[in-house]
Amino acid sequence: MAGVNKVILLGNLGADPEVRHLEGDKVVANLRLATTETYKDRNGNRVENTEWHDLEVWDGLARIAEQYLKKGSKIFVEGKIKSDTWQDEQGNNRKKIRIRVQNFTMVDSRNADQGTSAPSQSYTGQSSPVNTGNGDSGLDSDEADDLPF
Amino acid sequence: MAGVNKVILLGNLGADPEVRHLEGDKVVANLRLATTETYKDRNGNRVENTEWHDLEVWDGLARIAEQYLKKGSKIFVEGKIKSDTWQDEQGNNRKKIRIRVQNFTMVDSRNADQGTSAPSQSYTGQSSPVNTGNGDSGLDSDEADDLPF
Amino acid sequence: MAGVNKVILLGNLGADPEVRHLEGDKVVANLRLATTETYKDRNGNRVENTEWHDLEVWDGLARIAEQYLKKGSKIFVEGKIKSDTWQDEQGNNRKKIRIRVQNFTMVDSRNADQGTSAPSQSYTGQSSPVNTGNGDSGLDSDEADDLPF
Amino acid sequence: MAGVNKVILLGNLGADPEVRHLEGDKVVANLRLATTETYKDRNGNRVENTEWHDLEVWDGLARIAEQYLKKGSKIFVEGKIKSDTWQDEQGNNRKKIRIRVQNFTMVDSRNADQGTSAPSQSYTGQSSPVNTGNGDSGLDSDEADDLPF
DNA sequence: TTTT
DNA sequence: TTTT
């Protein structure tokens, strides 16, 4: 059966995006994202717990990430879990999990405004008119090549 | 700022889809979806609570809904909240909320198998390669016209 | 069958919370939340579309909302769709949809820091068995006595 | 700042739950969940891609999983990403990611009905203040005594 | 008006 | 390695 594999994150980048431009116009950006939760333990002390996520962004979104995101940027991310498996030098099976980003939104527009030609409005990675079933307006569907600013 | 407006539902259709074919190849399907939660009240009695949702599906997804969904179908839905506002005959401002479906997945393939040429595999409304940032394989992006079966 | 009814929003409050303290230590806060999406239309013009959501927050979370949220606050919200139905004066069946908030997170802590004793850490509302998957009435949460700061 | 770390999955168990009863009334169940997506490649061939997820369920939910889930069960899951890190024998830093389950819903109740005393109503796991937004240790949930049936 |  |  068809299933669902969805990840929703809101956090800050621990480093600038690492971007590789591949052959055939393909681009991939790797991001490190921290999501921090705070809670009180049973003694009433505040505890902070941070999880680090490896994000992978492709093509049009990667170009946007390269241009507008940097260390510290706060983003909302939608994606899916994707594992890579391989054998290491000792012949052990290894597995690494990444979040394949389907879209992201810059939440903290202060970052977008500093030292760049970025817009005052932050960016929302948009769903395409194809899968939004968007009957409103017939948006063109080439957002991948069509930076939103 | 760019925001997020996302709805995730899992439930059953209360009726067959109502489909209208509009000019210019546009299609809209309206669905009634029930999501039922059960819990125990403070007396330990099981209580069942059903919420009914008005869903709106467009174009390619609407055609799939028309073909494969019917009363009782169990589906997983992703969409967004969308309100229509108007004035009624008394001049009162009125507002109606619908869920604009962005994709859906048939969960209960039993329905798909009964009395139809439906596939044994249920359908997953797929994100487009544009917004999945899909670097895997370069899927063509015309799913809207490209029924998945 | 048990279903799923989940809403995820990220946006800004259009007004200060409206809070009512009810009998029996119950508190309800009503919030107006705007989620804005921007996209380019077929002519390449940026279009901005805002959806307004009516949120309902109860008890412990309502007290936190009262204390820390105000007009303009940016929050991430998790909740469920909940409809109220009634008959109006003309005898018409009426229905109003609200988002019952299950937890929220302050995203823009700049708001929290202005003119209040708010913490330097923003708050993440936590789910509880009481306010999650819950019937309307009869919440007897202890969140009220357990503010997270 | 407080962040968001949320995972939503819908899929089938690849094996029966592995349950360990720990000291102090604690229980943990490990589940293997497959989420399958299907799409057409550029040649129009249907491609099926399955991702396997390691789920970790604690205490009350673990007991429910033990009792009602088995190989093949279809479930909807809500949880968060959680990584364990350690050094292997070669002194390499290793990391393993699991999904900490916050609640789950049995979607295909046919499984629940076969060869067991399972209820005709399927179960929706409810969030609790204990297992939500929670640190690892020190759960002292009372879910164990409060099975929802 | 669904489902179990 | 982020953020407040």
Side-chain angles (χ1 to χ4, degrees), chain A residues 7 14-15 22 25 35 39 47 77 85 97 99 101 118:
Chain A
V7 176
L22 311 177
D25 237 13
T35 57
Y39 57 93
V47 181
V77 172
T85 55
I97 281 180
I99 308 302
V101 176

Side-chain angles (χ1 to χ4, degrees), chain C residues 41 47-48 52 57 78 87 91:
Chain C
D41 65 17
V47 181
E48 192 168 277
W52 286 96
V57 190
E78 222 184 307
Q87 286 199 329

Side-chain angles (χ1 to χ4, degrees), chain B residues 40 48 110 121 126 138 148, chain D residues 38-39 46 110 121 149:
Chain B
K40 283 187 166 179
E48 191 168 277
R110 285 174 298 179
Q121 293 294 76
Q126 303 234 344
Chain D
T38 57
Y39 57 92
R46 169 181 289 267
R110 286 173 297 179
Q121 294 291 76
F149 311 114

Side-chain angles (χ1 to χ4, degrees), chain B residues 8 10 38-40 46 48 74 76 107-108 110 121-122 124 126 137-140 146-149, chain D residues 8 10 36-42 46 48 74 76 107-108 110 119 121-122 124 126 147-149:
Chain B
I8 288 172
L10 174 59
T38 56
Y39 57 93
K40 283 187 166 179
R46 172 180 287 266
E48 191 168 277
K74 189 191 298 297
F76 174 90
V107 173
D108 188 350
R110 285 174 298 179
Q121 293 294 76
S122 62
T124 302
Q126 303 234 344
S137 56
L139 318 186
D140 288 329
D146 184 11
L147 297 188
F149 311 116
Chain D
I8 288 172
L10 174 59
T36 301
E37 59 176 339
T38 57
Y39 57 92
K40 283 186 167 179
D41 65 15
R42 54 176 65 211
R46 169 181 289 267
E48 193 168 275
K74 188 191 300 297
F76 174 91
V107 172
D108 189 351
R110 286 173 297 179
Q121 294 291 76
S122 62
T124 300
Q126 306 228 344
L147 296 187
F149 311 114

Side-chain angles (χ1 to χ4, degrees), chain C residues 10-67:
Chain C
L10 175 58
N12 299 282
L13 296 189
D16 291 343
E18 292 188 3
V19 184
R20 285 176 295 144
H21 291 261
L22 310 177
E23 56 184 339
D25 237 12
K26 301 197 72 53
V27 191
V28 59
N30 290 286
L31 310 177
R32 288 280 286 169
L33 184 79
T35 58
T36 301
E37 60 176 337
T38 58
Y39 57 92
K40 283 185 167 182
D41 65 17
R42 55 177 64 212
N43 301 316
N45 299 317
R46 170 181 288 267
V47 181
E48 192 168 277
N49 192 37
T50 295
E51 184 72 38
W52 286 96
H53 309 270
D54 290 303
L55 312 185
E56 189 181 272
V57 190
W58 284 87
D59 297 334
L61 280 178
R63 277 179 257 266
I64 294 166
E66 180 175 32
Q67 197 170 359

